[in-house]
Amino acid sequence: MKLFAIYLLVWCLALPAAAAELKVDLGHGVITYRTEALLKRHDARTISVPGDVAFHRTMHYRAVPLAALLEGIGPDDHLQFVAGDGFAAEIPAALLLNTQGSAAWLAIEDPSRPWPALDKNRGSAGPFYVVWTRPQAARVGPEQWPYQLARIRKLGGVAERFPAILPDPSLPAGGDVQRGFAVFQRTCFACHTLNGQGDSKLGPDLNLPHNPTEYLRADLLRAFIRNPQSLRQWPQAKMQGFDTHALSDADLDTVLAYLRHMAGRKPGH
């Protein structure tokens, strides 16, 4: 019996890791893509990604063009990328279909050759990870590189689905608050909710019960956004800082303008 148990253990260890699944729903039913099938696709290739957002160095991936898995979407469509840890990136299809030279790829982790672990106790980036070549050409931000990807869905836009996060519509379209709202969607909404609305499950709500502009000095809030550990040293913290390449000083100003504005637009006020 003991020999049988040892044999069974060795046999189990010799099995390849279970293939992962990515579910894609573009409004015509869910399509499931599995690791093995993706790695064998005719359009799969090895790509190099300098300055990879998750690993902070050049990485090499087996990947397929993301657009090939999103046939039928148009530039006016909106997609949500949901990760296994609750991260929910909202990406307009126009960015994925851009003609500026940036290209989105679905990197696929081969179970027989797993990627290295991420730093700061963030686990693995696999099994699927959206990476970009020449991201600067279309101004792709770090929150538009979702890893641990589990699902892609075509949905209505953020403003349509979550009206409680909208600033006062009477404000000028080109003003700081409205521009900050656009930056907020791109950089903050993937991890946080606001006024109780949003699909992310990672970070706290940024307006309920209190907006950070209500309890943090402006200089401390700015420093926190740039480097969360500058305010509280917490090795297990998941929030990554936004340097000036990811979030310019001008964009940071507009995000703070939006947050200050929303402090006066809480439910029931």
Side-chain angles (χ1 to χ4, degrees):
M1 187 68 181
K2 184 176 180 180
L3 287 175
F4 175 76
I6 293 173
Y7 170 79
L8 183 62
L9 176 62
V10 171
W11 179 77
C12 289
L13 291 174
L15 289 175
E21 295 183 346
L22 172 68
K23 297 187 182 299
V24 178
D25 185 356
L26 302 180
H28 306 290
V30 177
I31 299 175
T32 300
Y33 294 97
R34 294 179 173 83
T35 300
E36 183 179 356
L38 286 168
L39 290 170
K40 291 179 178 178
R41 283 175 62 102
H42 69 90
D43 53 356
R45 65 190 68 180
T46 299
I47 62 169
S48 295
V49 180
D52 181 271
V53 165
F55 293 99
H56 310 292
R57 57 186 172 89
T58 296
M59 292 291 292
H60 306 282
Y61 297 107
R62 196 67 179 165
V64 298
L66 186 56
L69 306 180
L70 304 174
E71 291 186 9
I73 64 168
D76 295 328
D77 291 328
H78 186 88
L79 297 169
Q80 184 187 68
F81 293 73
V82 182
D85 63 358
F87 182 91
E90 304 278 348
I91 304 180
L95 182 63
L96 299 166
L97 301 174
N98 80 89
T99 58
Q100 288 107 321
S102 298
W105 299 80
L106 181 74
I108 306 131
E109 185 177 31
D110 186 337
S112 66
R113 289 179 290 178
W115 300 332
L118 298 170
D119 60 4
K120 299 181 181 178
N121 302 309
R122 290 184 292 151
S124 169
F128 307 108
Y129 175 20
V130 175
V131 301
W132 296 78
T133 50
R134 299 192 65 227
Q136 66 282 355
R139 300 188 64 189
V140 177
E143 302 305 299
Q144 292 158 334
W145 296 62
Y147 54 77
Q148 298 177 7
L149 188 63
R151 180 181 290 269
I152 302 173
R153 301 188 291 177
K154 186 175 84 167
L155 299 172
V158 168
E160 174 188 341
R161 287 155 44 219
F162 306 117
I165 74 171
L166 295 175
D168 187 334
S170 68
L171 293 174
D176 283 351
V177 171
Q178 292 286 6
R179 288 191 291 118
F181 176 49
V183 178
F184 172 85
Q185 293 175 69
R186 189 173 71 244
T187 59
C188 309
F189 205 47
C191 294
H192 296 276
T193 56
L194 191 136
N195 281 342
Q197 293 194 344
D199 287 328
S200 176
K201 309 299 181 187
L202 267 183
D205 194 278
L206 291 180
N207 211 32
L208 299 177
H210 296 291
N211 187 299
T213 64
E214 296 177 297
Y215 58 82
L216 279 179
R217 289 192 337 236
D219 60 330
L220 291 179
L221 181 54
R222 284 174 177 278
F224 176 77
I225 293 170
R226 293 293 188 210
N227 175 17
Q229 298 293 322
S230 69
L231 184 65
R232 296 186 182 91
Q233 293 190 0
W234 182 24
Q236 288 76 33
K238 292 188 176 183
M239 180 173 171
Q240 302 297 301
F242 291 86
D243 62 20
T244 54
H245 295 290
L247 183 67
S248 68
D249 287 334
D251 281 349
L252 178 54
D253 287 343
T254 65
V255 168
L256 295 180
Y258 167 73
L259 289 175
R260 285 192 295 269
H261 172 73
M262 294 307 294
R265 287 178 63 81
K266 297 179 183 181
H269 282 207

